Amino acid sequence: MNRHEEPAEEEIIRGLLEKITYVNEDNGYSVFKIRAEGESELVPVVGVSFKHVPGEELEFVGHWVMHPKFGDQFQFSECRPVLPSTVDGIRKYLSSDLIKGIGPETANRIIDRFGESSLDVLDNKPDELLKVKGIGRKTLDSIKKSWESQRAVSAVMYFLKSNGIGPGFAARIYKEYGDEAIAVLKENPYRLADDVFGIGFLTADKFAANMGVPRDSTMRTDAGMKYALGTLVDEGHVCVPRDVLAKHAAKLLDISADCSDAAIGRALAASELVGETMAGTDEDAAVESIYLPMYYVFESKSAQMMARLLKFRPEDDVIDGYAGIDFDEAIADAERVMGIKLAQNQHEAVKLALHSKVMIITGGPGTGKTTILKAIIRILGERGVKINLAAPTGRAAKKMSEATGRNALTIHRLLESDGFKFGRDEDSPLNCRLLIIDEVSMVDIHIMYRALCALRLEAHLILVGDVHQLPSVGPGSVLRDLLSSGVIPVAELNVIFRQARDSGIIVNAHRVNSGLLPEDKGGPNLRDFYIIEQDDPSKCLDIILALAKDRIPKRFGLDPVEDVQVLTPMHDGILGASNLNAVMRVELNTSPGNVLVVGKREFKTGDKVMQIMNNYEKEVYNGDIGVIKSIDTAACLVTVKFDDAEATYEAESMDELIHAYAVSIHKSQGSEYPAVIMPIHTQHYFLLQRNLLYTGITRAKELAVLVGTKKALAMAVRNDKTRLRYTQLGSRLRAAVC
């Protein structure tokens, strides 16, 4: 019977390690060839293990799998050394390269003297080896150290396994701590969360519980406090009032509020957290805000640098390219060249930009933000001003390039970041006199800090964004905070231009933003916006499939994969991104292409995918959408065709990609799609917010279709209470300038 005809069950195989085909030194993933009992040919075994050499007897726990190129393989979850018991076995074992100081000749001499007791001598009476010819004190020390290390590996692996740590993490832990792993972790198991990549507090906490660490131990509460604050930072907060943090941590860690507050005090004393009390207002009393140290630096330094920009005046009050501009004449000239006539508010916005050190341009779609930018760029570019354009994501940067006709980069790329370090900073600032950043609603406090670090004091800064969009995924509420500070000049655009009023997408986006329900009953020019009412979630799903696969492509001539994008408020549920992707993939990708399975996910040639992190080496960025062009199953390589690039992924880097037939509205920020289909259903009730609906609608360029219920739409439109984010950027900036 074929090994794969029945469900895979764990079994044990034993054999002599003949060949090490591959070992990943970072994570311990290994491919071995063993001479197994009962097998005529060498058996390939794959899994996580380390520090083995040919000649060892090993026992593997796992199951058989079928590899598309290499056939049957035994995939193991556990690898255990088996010490030989016969003289011949011991001779082979000692003759391997496993123990430094013992080669084949020395192994023979040890066997001749101690026979079957040789391994017992190594374990319990190693000094007896001095009686063997060729082994002196120096060689003995090397043998003892190597033998103890081998025994320690097994001890460490057993210790970790018995306390709930799997082989993958066990390999990382051993790499971090080596033979001292047991001693280190018995002293403080919560070090795992700080020291070992991929292991967070929850894994460390479970490990500590298995070791018997009490829930209210100081060790646990101190580690848990940083974790508790980290969970709030993940929700978008830059800082948290002390009492709010204490309550949150007490609930999260299942400890008393007093115990929680005491942990905050210890963390502050040890400088593991930062606390600062900002002056209160007439309405609000002063409160102590608690920060993770790096976010304290990001926020406080951002406020200081922004204040210095606003206050800076060069000695001669002249900045290259800005000197002596006749604003009205310059604007009139730009209008002639561009063939337009600026509205009064646009004229004033351009004028404000030309004499402001820092400025914010904000407004919804169709209010003329791009026209203003083009006029500013035209006027200053003609006068030799070096201008840099940037946006938070690759898609947003591309949109900015198309709109202005000038090259725009992601902020990360402009700052020459590899994702960890930034090549542009105070010591190596940007060589520009004007930096324009678009889609600032997406910019978190960290990226704003990095941009300000790289900006010369002589430079000007224009920030462009729509404050009604969803806030940044990362911590902070930068655009809202800068607006609320009251110290930065603002051009707020709220008039929809005539040509924009012909767009149902733009009109309805503004209706939603004003607290009104969107409408799809309009004249012949308003047929880019539709609402399809359906209460049954399953039928909503059927409608979305029909729209994407047939109705929209036939009616509007759009490609179902490349041009039609489903945006959804949530990940779970029948109308969530996960299920929509699974169902749409079956309907839209019927190619007979190759398939690669990575973990629990399956990728196929022709699949629509999204890059979810910046990859500077591949030159693909967060939010980029592409289609899988080819899959090499033998080499486990996937090639994806994006708009302007092609990138190849190994299996271990596939976590950078998600299926993108449907994506969350949050992940769509900064992007535009020819057609957008959006389920709006009461299934999503706890996520239905005005800014989420507004953001989804404004992602559509040519067509927007909402599928769901008027009740859900009404819930979203009424819910204009954006989730509070604790920040102090606005207060800090106001205090620094005033």
Side-chain angles (χ1 to χ4, degrees):
M1 178 182 292
N2 187 291
R3 288 174 174 137
H4 309 288
E5 289 180 1
E6 297 178 349
E9 295 182 359
E10 282 209 331
E11 56 183 285
I12 297 174
I13 65 171
R14 178 184 292 190
L16 189 71
L17 178 55
E18 291 276 353
K19 182 180 179 182
I20 297 176
T21 305
Y22 171 79
V23 174
N24 185 315
E25 297 296 338
D26 291 327
N27 58 28
Y29 179 79
S30 305
V31 180
F32 300 148
K33 292 287 185 69
I34 68 167
R35 191 164 298 284
E37 298 173 356
E39 297 286 345
S40 58
E41 298 180 356
L42 294 181
V43 174
V45 295
V46 297
V48 175
S49 193
F50 48 93
K51 296 195 79 170
H52 295 294
V53 296
E56 279 188 88
E57 185 83 11
L58 299 172
E59 188 173 78
F60 300 92
V61 180
H63 59 271
W64 292 96
V65 296
M66 172 62 74
H67 188 278
K69 179 179 180 181
F70 302 112
D72 279 350
Q73 293 182 333
F74 191 80
Q75 186 170 298
F76 64 86
S77 58
E78 188 177 349
C79 173
R80 302 187 288 243
V82 179
L83 292 180
S85 56
T86 66
V87 169
D88 284 342
I90 295 171
R91 191 188 310 276
K92 288 181 182 178
Y93 182 73
L94 294 180
S95 296
S96 70
D97 295 327
L98 194 65
I99 305 169
K100 291 182 180 178
I102 300 180
E105 291 185 11
T106 304
N108 285 331
R109 288 196 288 266
I110 292 173
I111 293 296
D112 289 344
R113 184 167 189 93
F114 301 110
E116 293 181 355
S117 302
S118 297
L119 298 184
D120 181 62
V121 170
L122 280 165
D123 258 340
N124 302 307
K125 298 174 285 185
D127 287 351
E128 290 286 303
L129 293 174
L130 290 171
K131 298 176 182 179
V132 176
K133 183 181 177 181
I135 298 180
R137 177 57 61 182
K138 186 175 180 180
T139 302
L140 177 63
D141 289 343
S142 177
I143 292 171
K144 287 166 71 174
K145 184 178 180 180
S146 182
W147 179 255
E148 288 168 2
S149 178
Q150 289 301 318
R151 306 297 276 165
V153 171
S154 298
V156 168
M157 298 301 283
Y158 178 77
F159 169 74
L160 295 173
K161 183 177 184 297
S162 62
N163 285 289
I165 299 292
F169 282 148
R172 295 182 191 176
I173 293 168
Y174 186 82
K175 185 179 180 183
E176 178 68 30
Y177 303 124
D179 296 346
E180 302 300 314
I182 295 176
V184 168
L185 297 179
K186 280 186 174 179
E187 181 182 351
N188 184 358
Y190 291 97
R191 283 188 57 176
L192 287 173
D194 293 326
D195 297 344
V196 182
F197 176 76
I199 295 184
F201 172 80
L202 294 178
T203 300
D205 194 37
K206 184 177 180 181
F207 177 72
N210 288 336
M211 291 177 60
V213 176
R215 296 191 67 77
D216 60 351
S217 71
T218 300
M219 185 192 305
R220 179 176 185 267
T221 55
D222 287 356
M225 183 53 61
K226 289 184 288 183
Y227 167 70
L229 181 52
T231 63
L232 293 172
V233 169
D234 288 343
E235 292 177 10
H237 305 291
V238 177
C239 58
V240 184
R242 180 166 179 162
D243 63 330
V244 173
L245 175 58
K247 291 175 184 175
H248 175 72
K251 182 178 180 181
L252 197 65
L253 303 175
D254 191 21
I255 57 177
S256 69
D258 289 343
C259 185
S260 178
D261 192 69
I264 295 175
R266 288 191 296 273
L268 292 173
S271 299
E272 293 175 342
L273 299 178
V274 177
E276 185 171 74
T277 302
M278 300 288 291
T281 63
D282 293 339
E283 296 83 15
D284 300 310
V287 296
E288 184 180 15
S289 294
I290 308 299
Y291 294 79
L292 291 171
M294 65 177 178
Y295 285 101
Y296 177 77
V297 171
F298 295 159
E299 185 179 85
S300 59
K301 294 291 186 183
S302 292
Q304 292 170 18
M305 289 185 288
M306 184 69 81
R308 284 202 298 268
L309 270 178
L310 287 163
K311 291 178 177 181
F312 178 78
R313 296 292 180 272
E315 290 182 9
D316 58 1
D317 201 30
V318 173
I319 298 178
D320 293 348
Y322 281 79
I325 296 178
D326 183 316
F327 297 136
D328 292 325
E329 182 181 325
I331 293 171
D333 179 63
E335 287 178 324
R336 281 193 300 273
V337 174
M338 296 168 64
I340 60 169
K341 179 65 177 175
L342 294 176
Q344 184 61 33
N345 66 344
Q346 290 179 310
H347 188 283
E348 292 170 358
V350 174
K351 208 168 182 177
L352 184 62
L354 294 177
H355 73 252
S356 296
K357 195 69 168 61
V358 182
M359 177 201 179
I360 297 173
I361 301 173
T362 183
T367 56
K369 296 192 298 295
T370 300
T371 301
I372 292 170
L373 282 187
K374 290 168 73 173
I376 293 168
I377 292 168
R378 168 79 192 176
I379 292 167
L380 295 177
E382 274 202 339
R383 287 160 175 78
V385 175
K386 178 68 165 57
I387 303 171
N388 283 154
L389 307 183
T393 66
R395 282 245 164 178
K398 183 179 180 182
K399 187 174 76 169
M400 192 181 191
S401 294
E402 292 169 347
T404 62
R406 292 175 64 104
N407 187 41
L409 302 175
T410 64
I411 301 173
H412 280 84
R413 192 172 183 189
L414 178 68
L415 301 182
E416 298 175 10
S417 171
D418 61 2
F420 301 97
K421 296 179 181 178
F422 289 78
R424 293 292 183 173
D425 53 21
E426 299 97 328
D427 298 325
S428 181
L430 294 167
N431 182 29
C432 68
R433 282 291 182 265
L434 171 62
L435 173 61
I436 303 176
I437 302 178
D438 197 9
E439 297 283 3
V440 181
S441 63
M442 297 174 63
V443 174
D444 62 30
I445 189 63
H446 178 210
I447 298 306
M448 179 53 66
Y449 164 76
R450 294 295 182 183
L452 291 170
C453 282
L455 203 59
R456 299 175 187 271
L457 272 177
E458 296 84 1
H460 289 227
L461 176 64
I462 295 177
L463 303 173
V464 185
D466 185 348
V467 74
H468 301 295
Q469 299 275 4
L470 288 169
S472 59
V473 175
S477 188
V478 171
L479 180 58
R480 191 175 295 274
D481 287 347
L482 295 178
L483 288 167
S484 70
S485 72
V487 299
I488 299 177
V490 177
E492 185 172 359
L493 310 174
N494 48 31
V495 176
I496 309 176
F497 286 93
R498 181 179 56 78
Q499 61 270 33
R501 289 198 296 270
D502 290 338
S503 166
I505 294 169
I506 291 175
V507 168
N508 280 310
H510 285 272
R511 283 183 63 84
V512 167
N513 196 35
S514 301
L516 300 173
L517 284 172
E519 296 179 340
D520 65 347
K521 304 293 190 294
N525 294 327
L526 293 182
R527 303 314 294 164
D528 60 356
F529 190 94
Y530 295 83
I531 300 172
I532 300 176
E533 293 187 62
Q534 177 54 248
D535 185 57
D536 186 331
S538 297
K539 291 181 179 178
C540 285
L541 178 60
D542 292 338
I543 291 170
I544 291 169
L545 288 174
L547 286 167
K549 185 179 180 182
D550 298 313
R551 293 169 62 180
I552 290 176
K554 288 178 181 176
R555 171 80 180 274
F556 297 94
L558 298 174
D559 185 272
V561 174
E562 294 187 3
D563 297 330
V564 180
Q565 185 61 56
V566 176
L567 303 180
T568 179
M570 63 192 300
H571 292 283
D572 299 326
I574 191 172
L575 297 176
S578 295
N579 187 60
L580 282 165
N581 268 309
V583 176
M584 292 181 68
R585 186 169 171 265
V586 173
E587 292 291 326
L588 298 181
N589 186 6
T590 56
S591 73
N594 288 338
V595 172
L596 179 68
V597 177
V598 182
K600 295 181 179 179
R601 299 188 302 158
E602 180 181 280
F603 293 92
K604 181 181 177 184
T605 304
D607 270 348
K608 184 177 183 178
V609 292
M610 173 185 276
Q611 177 81 15
I612 57 171
M613 61 184 72
N614 293 329
N615 188 314
Y616 301 92
E617 184 179 344
K618 290 182 170 65
E619 295 190 347
V620 290
Y621 305 98
N622 185 18
D624 285 354
I625 287 181
V627 174
I628 293 178
K629 181 180 177 182
S630 64
I631 295 177
D632 184 337
T633 55
C636 293
L637 294 176
V638 175
T639 301
V640 180
K641 177 68 173 68
F642 294 97
D643 287 341
D644 302 313
E646 225 176 64
T648 299
Y649 299 78
E650 297 177 339
E652 52 264 35
S653 62
M654 288 296 288
D655 58 353
E656 296 182 18
L657 297 175
I658 60 171
H659 289 104
Y661 299 95
V663 298
S664 70
I665 296 173
H666 282 84
K667 289 191 184 301
S668 74
Q669 286 177 269
S671 300
E672 281 188 338
Y673 313 98
V676 165
I677 305 170
M678 185 163 37
I680 295 292
H681 198 276
T682 49
Q683 272 198 341
H684 307 148
Y685 73 94
F686 62 94
L687 286 172
L688 292 176
Q689 293 178 304
R690 184 183 297 178
N691 61 353
L692 184 125
L693 176 60
Y694 175 79
T695 300
I697 291 172
T698 55
R699 299 310 89 200
K701 286 176 19 179
E702 302 172 24
L703 176 68
V705 184
L706 309 187
V707 180
T709 67
K710 285 288 181 70
K711 180 180 179 181
L713 273 174
M715 290 170 65
V717 169
R718 284 197 303 267
N719 185 8
D720 65 340
K721 294 181 180 178
T722 57
R723 293 182 179 179
L724 171 68
R725 290 190 171 192
Y726 292 111
T727 72
Q728 294 285 2
L729 179 62
S731 301
R732 290 182 187 280
L733 180 56
R734 192 162 44 247
V737 172
C738 299

